[in-house]
Amino acid sequence: MNEVAGPAAERIADLTWAMTALGALVFVVFCAAFAYALARRRSDEPPTPERDRHGTRAIVLFGALIPALILVPLFVWTVQALAALDPRAARPDLVIEVVGKQWWWEVRYRDADPRKVFMAANELHVPVGRRVELRLASTDVNHSFWVPALQGKTDNIPGRENVTWIEASAPGVYGGQCAEYCGTQHANMRLLVIAEPPVEWERWAARQRQPAAEPPDSMARAGRDAFLGSACALCH
């Protein structure tokens, strides 16, 4: 599911469509004016004061007034959208650390109670209708967190913590991707945001806080040891 599914993505989508429509309108008007000017071009006619006045009025109209009528409201709209997307605009209901690594995502769920902190990888589970603040970092190279259905991209930079937020309006699974080339396995550096009703999310979080179960037999223990001793354990 990659449709718009959250308030942040809705803001971005509305502004994008507005810019696209206005840009297309300006392009059409420019092409029409250019074609009209070419059709009426008469190089053999001497300039006159009347023609100069018409030309000046056309320059003021199409070069200043009409662009101002388009760009000023669009600028105000953009500023309002950026203010709404500011992670400091509202208090979050949940804080999650997302650390980009070559080539996977480490996810840490913060809590004021240290006993409720837990970690996951390559998946974010979030409660529907709750504002989730994301603290983004990296341990190696630049990465970029991007879930198009929920929010624009924000970079994960080594030695720096960037902050963004997401909120899902409906349950679903929303695909994300590292949007900054980070090495040979960059294309495989994907993630999922799984939005669940708050009650179901609480049940899921409670299960994640439980200690991992011990393997029930020697074969299972051997499999665990083989997995932890391999490179696969770095990502899974």
Side-chain angles (χ1 to χ4, degrees):
M1 297 175 62
N2 285 320
E3 71 276 9
V4 173
E10 288 175 4
R11 288 274 189 170
I12 295 171
D14 290 345
L15 185 59
T16 299
W17 282 116
M19 288 183 170
T20 302
L22 290 173
L25 177 62
V26 169
F27 179 73
V28 169
V29 171
F30 169 80
C31 290
F34 185 65
Y36 176 79
L38 289 177
R40 291 185 57 85
R41 183 170 178 263
R42 297 176 183 175
S43 58
D44 57 337
E45 292 186 4
T48 64
E50 184 64 24
R51 290 183 63 192
D52 288 344
R53 283 193 295 272
H54 284 305
T56 301
R57 283 196 293 267
I59 291 172
V60 172
L61 177 63
F62 292 102
L65 294 181
I66 292 179
L69 291 175
I70 294 174
L71 294 177
V72 171
L74 192 60
F75 173 75
V76 173
W77 192 350
T78 301
V79 171
Q80 291 175 341
L82 290 174
L85 294 174
D86 190 336
R88 299 166 298 181
R91 187 173 181 178
D93 300 297
L94 177 67
V95 178
I96 303 176
E97 295 177 14
V98 182
V99 181
K101 302 188 177 187
Q102 291 179 309
W103 290 274
W104 63 289
W105 302 94
E106 180 182 281
V107 182
R108 182 182 180 89
Y109 292 76
R110 289 187 179 182
D111 196 282
D113 184 350
R115 296 171 298 177
K116 294 184 177 181
V117 174
F118 62 94
M119 296 178 63
N122 298 326
E123 287 187 2
L124 279 77
H125 285 246
V126 299
V128 171
R130 304 288 174 84
R131 187 183 178 100
V132 180
E133 181 176 280
L134 302 178
R135 304 289 182 90
L136 306 178
S138 171
T139 60
D140 37 52
V141 300
N142 286 356
H143 301 280
S144 191
F145 180 92
W146 186 33
V147 183
L150 299 176
Q151 181 59 282
K153 73 183 189 75
T154 304
D155 289 343
N156 299 60
I157 301 173
R160 174 176 176 177
E161 184 179 74
N162 283 340
V163 182
T164 187
W165 65 279
I166 58 174
E167 180 181 327
S169 301
V173 179
Y174 306 102
Q177 174 70 47
C178 176
E180 181 81 19
Y181 181 74
C182 55
T184 55
Q185 295 298 318
H186 162 72
N188 294 321
M189 193 170 171
R190 301 170 183 168
L191 72 153
L192 295 176
V193 175
I194 301 171
E196 303 169 305
V199 173
E200 293 183 18
W201 183 88
E202 290 290 351
R203 294 195 188 111
W204 172 85
R207 292 195 300 270
Q208 299 305 306
R209 296 185 184 110
Q210 298 301 315
E214 284 295 318
D217 53 48
S218 60
M219 183 173 293
R221 287 193 293 272
R224 178 196 62 185
D225 295 340
F227 175 80
L228 294 176
S230 70
C232 299
L234 296 176
C235 300
H236 300 282

